[in-house]
Amino acid sequence: MSAVPGPAAGDAGDTAPGAAAGDAAPGGAVSAAGDASDASAGDPADAAVPDAPAGAGRTGADALRGTGMTGADAPSGATAGMTGPPAPEAAAHGPRYALGHGPQATGPDLLPADRLLDPGSPELDRLLTSEYEGSGHRTAHAAALTLIAVYAGRVTAAAVLQWALDGRVPDLRAENVLVRPSGHGIGGVWLRRNRMLTGAATAARPATAARPGAGSAEVTPAPPCGHVHASAGDRTSATCPACFRAATLPLLHRAVLDDHLLPFADALHRRTRAGLRQLRGGVAHGCATALCASQADPDELALRWDEFSATAPGGIGHLGEVAQVRRPDGTPRLVYLRRTCCLYYTSAEAVRCASCCLTGRAERLRAYAAGT
C-alpha cells in the first residue's frame, strides 16, 4: 500500500497556505501560516543531482551523441539523426545532464517515464512516495509540487541545454526514458535508445565559419529568415545556428513538454489534486534550471530562455522570469524567479526554496548574489 495519502477533498489550488488567492506577487514578500523559517534553501530543482549513472558511457559526449534514427523511431515530421563533428555536449556542464544508456538501462529500480503519465500507475505511486518520504512532506499534493520541479530540473535538462548550445535535441520523450527514484530527487536518468531528434526542415548542421586559408567564404542571398549565411569551400548551403535553433525548437517543445513534462503534470494533478498551474510552474522552474545551472554564458542563456519560453505550450513562459546577478567574485549568474509555489516550506526541512514566490524579488536576488 502506498505511503502517500490520497488527495484531499477539493483541489489543492494554485496558492500556498497563507497566500492570497492566486499566486503571490513576485514583488513582495507574503508571510505564510506555518512557515517555520525565512531562510532560503537550495531550489527543489537542484535536489539530489548525483554523479553520472553507471552505464553513462566513458565520457559526457558518449552519453549524448546521437546514433541516428529510423523513420519508425522518429516522431511525426522527424528524419535521421544529425551527423558531423559533435558540438560541446550538455553532459560536460555537470552531473545534472548525465544520461545513461545501453545494457545498464535495465533493472527493477528503474521506472519507465511513460508509465508516470498514468495517474493510477504503480510507477507514479512509487516515485511520488519516494519524494513524499524523502522530503518529509505532510500532504501528497505538496510532494507532487516538489517532485515536478526536481523532475523537470533533472530528467529533461540535457535536452533543454543541448538545444540551447547547438540546436540539437536528445530524445528525452517519455517513451525513451527511465528514471531512478532517490528520496528527494532523481537518482539517475537512462535512455532506451541513445539518439538525437531532428525535424525534416533541419537536416543540415550549422556550418562553422571558414578558417583563414581554408577557402574563401561567399555570401549567399539572404534566406527568408533574414539572416546572412555563408557557405564555405564546398559551396553547400549552410544553416545558421540561430535558424537551426528556431527550426528545432518545436521539436524540443514536443519532446520535452507535450510528450513528457506536461502530461506528467496532468497525471500528478489527477493523482493528488495539486493545482495544475502550480505544477506547470514547477515544469517552468525545472526547464529554466536546465539553463541556469549550466556553465554557459549567462547572456546567451537568457536569450535562449526567452526563445524557449515565448512559444512554449502550457503557458510556462508566464510562470516565472530569469534574471542576472553577480556573485561575490564578480562573475555573472543566471537565476530563475518563480511566480508559483512548490510548498517545499511544508516539508521536513521547513524552509523556502531560493526562488520562492513568497519571498520578495529583491530579497531573492540578494540571496542568489550571495551564493545561496
Side-chain angles (χ1 to χ4, degrees), residues 208-316:
T208 57
R211 301 184 307 276
S216 61
E218 61 178 355
V219 176
T220 58
C225 66
H227 295 128
V228 176
H229 297 165
S231 58
D234 62 359
R235 297 180 181 271
T236 57
S237 177
T239 303
C240 78
C243 293
F244 187 74
R245 282 195 309 272
T248 56
L249 180 56
L251 185 61
L252 177 69
H253 283 161
R254 186 164 74 245
V256 168
L257 296 174
D258 289 325
D259 293 349
H260 198 154
L261 297 180
L262 293 178
F264 183 46
D266 291 341
L268 288 171
H269 170 65
R270 293 172 61 190
R271 169 66 177 82
T272 69
R273 297 185 184 173
L276 188 57
R277 186 168 184 270
Q278 276 181 287
L279 287 163
R280 289 182 175 181
V283 170
H285 182 198
C287 290
T289 297
L291 301 180
C292 296
S294 80
Q295 301 168 23
D297 177 61
D299 289 327
E300 289 296 318
L301 292 173
L303 293 174
R304 299 295 85 78
W305 173 253
D306 288 344
E307 294 170 15
F308 174 84
S309 63
T311 58
I316 68 170

